Amino acid sequence: MKSYNVCLKDTAKKFTKRLFYSLFDCEQEEAHGNYLEKTFVEIVSKLGIENGKDIWATFKIQLPEIRQKLDLDAIAFENNDPASHSLAEIYLAYPGFYAISIYRLSHALYKLGVYILPRMMSEYIHGITGVDIHPGATIGESFYIDHGTGIVIGETSIIGKHVKIYQGVTLGGISVSKSLASTKRHPTIEDNVCIYANATVLGGDITIGANSIIGANVWITQSVPENSLVTYQTEIKIRPKKNGIQE
């Protein structure tokens, strides 16, 4: 029976937290810089990747750019959520922003050919926030997710700039054979799209056109043109009670 080093899950959890802290806090960056490099090299070595130091050096160069992207995401949160009181509140208290932060970090590693560690990072934050973003997804700047719980964004999803997504949204794939794993299986969401709660968009050949609004609870398996409004209508009846008993 083959053995798997499942205790790496705990190491990856600690690594992910400290990486996040170091990205936004200069004191944390100074305190944990050596730990992060050493731990990264140890993790990827145990996962069969021997050039960990070179990968880390490339990744570390990208961190300022990742921070800039996340600052734009934070501004999008502040601009779109009337319940927010300051940027500090976004950085410190918003689970959606936390999930996006770990996504952007894990995505950078994923693009460098490191696959298992980014998945462990994404599953760690998934467990905390309820937001499931595959590190292989491509997401543009100024991304905003409200509440977040239940959001699923698949590996080959492509999301443009200034997109807003609410809780329960799925950008998923229609079931395909394993032989098609390298094909695009998830939707493309163009710039300035808003997708409301519990909408489901499925399929790799699906595009939601720019500036469109996807209403709550819709199920989409075909492309939507630019500047569209897609809604699901159901009849809700409200009637007065008789003798205190609802008919």
Side-chain angles (χ1 to χ4, degrees):
M1 184 177 295
K2 185 174 181 179
S3 176
Y4 293 93
N5 197 346
V6 293
C7 63
L8 282 177
K9 292 167 69 72
D10 291 332
T11 307
K13 174 181 175 181
K14 183 178 179 181
F15 169 81
T16 302
K17 290 173 66 175
R18 290 194 174 180
L19 180 60
F20 172 77
Y21 297 156
S22 297
L23 190 63
F24 296 102
D25 188 323
C26 294
E27 292 183 1
Q28 291 291 316
E29 180 182 11
E30 184 175 349
H32 300 307
N34 291 335
Y35 162 85
L36 290 171
E37 178 176 0
K38 178 182 176 182
T39 304
F40 176 83
V41 172
E42 289 178 353
I43 291 174
V44 297
S45 177
K46 290 179 179 179
L47 295 173
I49 300 173
E50 299 303 330
N51 60 331
K53 286 189 176 181
D54 294 335
I55 296 173
W56 178 259
T58 303
F59 174 67
K60 190 174 181 180
I61 292 172
Q62 298 177 15
L63 290 177
E65 181 182 355
I66 294 171
R67 170 61 193 269
Q68 290 174 0
K69 290 180 179 179
L70 287 169
D71 288 342
L72 291 175
D73 295 327
I75 291 170
F77 273 71
E78 186 180 38
N79 290 341
N80 285 289
D81 188 359
S84 67
H85 296 88
S86 66
L87 273 174
E89 184 177 3
I90 308 300
Y91 289 104
L92 295 174
Y94 272 55
F97 180 75
Y98 194 11
I100 294 171
S101 298
I102 302 307
Y103 155 74
R104 295 211 184 275
L105 290 164
S106 64
H107 178 68
L109 290 172
Y110 189 90
K111 289 177 67 178
L112 291 172
V114 180
Y115 299 117
I116 299 178
L117 176 57
R119 286 301 306 273
M120 289 193 289
M121 293 168 65
S122 65
E123 287 307 314
Y124 160 66
I125 200 65
H126 178 198
I128 293 176
T129 66
V131 178
D132 184 1
I133 306 177
H134 194 287
T138 301
I139 301 177
E141 66 183 38
S142 300
F143 183 47
Y144 169 62
I145 53 179
D146 194 19
H147 301 295
T149 304
I151 285 176
V152 177
I153 300 175
E155 178 186 19
T156 61
S157 299
I158 298 175
I159 299 175
K161 300 176 182 179
H162 304 285
V163 170
K164 296 186 289 185
I165 294 181
Y166 288 75
Q167 69 271 16
V169 166
T170 296
L171 304 182
I174 296 174
S175 180
V176 298
S177 66
K178 186 68 174 181
S179 62
L180 298 176
S182 61
T183 63
K184 189 176 185 301
R185 308 182 308 281
H186 304 94
T188 294
I189 312 299
E190 294 185 342
D191 296 349
N192 302 306
V193 168
C194 178
I195 307 178
Y196 282 103
N198 300 313
T200 299
V201 186
L202 301 178
D205 58 351
I206 302 301
T207 297
I208 305 301
N211 308 306
S212 293
I213 296 176
I214 308 301
N217 301 309
V218 299
W219 176 279
I220 297 176
T221 56
Q222 63 184 38
S223 291
V224 173
E226 294 182 1
N227 303 303
S228 296
L229 173 62
V230 182
T231 59
Y232 170 76
Q233 294 185 355
T234 185
E235 186 179 8
I236 298 176
K237 294 182 179 180
I238 300 176
R239 295 175 293 177
K241 295 180 180 179
K242 293 183 178 180
N243 299 322
I245 300 176
Q246 186 175 3
E247 295 185 342

